[in-house]
Amino acid sequence: QVQLVESGGGSVQTGGSHRLSCTASGDTDSIDPKGWFRQAPGKEREGVAIVYNDGTIYYADSVKGRFTISQEHGRHTVYLQMNSLKPDDTAMYYCAAHERGRGVMWPPLSAQRYHYWGQGTQVTVSS
């Protein structure tokens, strides 16, 4: 089993920056990749960015050039640096992880490919 705990949510103005963190615990060797998803009210959960242990990264088109995902292997932590934030970025942000060996990991930003989820952290961008 793996537990994921997010932190760093909050409110920010349009154009501002914010960083989210997600720390994994438990059987951390069993998960790869890890990443971030978000869900706004009335919308489906969408993939934002994911990172493999080998450093391979995928971003949603909507955040390319603005968001950066990174990881610290020793701390089992994944970060999401969000810059140039827009009101459309307002959502509950979830950390997720795929359990190795459980299904095909494609497409990489599909929420269905992930087996562990954090409780979510709210990010609100005001205009």
Side-chain angles (χ1 to χ4, degrees):
Q1 286 293 317
V2 172
Q3 295 77 42
L4 302 172
V5 179
E6 304 101 334
S7 61
S11 297
V12 63
Q13 291 188 331
T14 297
S17 298
H18 211 67
R19 190 176 83 157
L20 304 179
S21 301
C22 170
T23 300
S25 61
D27 189 8
T28 55
D29 288 340
S30 71
I31 55 174
D32 185 35
K34 299 183 290 291
W36 292 93
F37 291 74
R38 67 186 181 185
Q39 188 167 19
K43 294 187 177 181
E44 292 187 357
R45 191 169 296 190
E46 63 172 351
V48 175
I50 66 103
V51 58
Y52 282 82
N53 289 344
D54 69 1
T56 301
I57 290 173
Y58 293 92
Y59 289 104
D61 288 343
S62 59
V63 306
K64 281 181 181 176
R66 300 189 299 122
F67 291 11
T68 302
I69 190 170
S70 60
Q71 61 185 336
E72 283 191 68
H73 291 293
R75 296 186 177 185
H76 307 296
T77 299
V78 176
Y79 303 97
L80 185 68
Q81 177 66 42
M82 304 180 292
N83 298 329
S84 302
L85 283 161
K86 308 173 182 178
D88 283 349
D89 295 317
T90 295
M92 185 71 79
Y93 283 72
Y94 296 92
C95 181
H98 171 87
E99 185 172 355
R100 292 177 176 178
R102 284 184 64 185
V104 176
M105 253 309 302
W106 195 266
L109 293 175
S110 171
Q112 296 178 346
R113 307 301 177 192
Y114 294 80
H115 308 102
Y116 298 105
W117 293 87
Q119 80 285 357
T121 187
Q122 178 70 34
V123 174
T124 302
V125 183
S126 58
S127 57

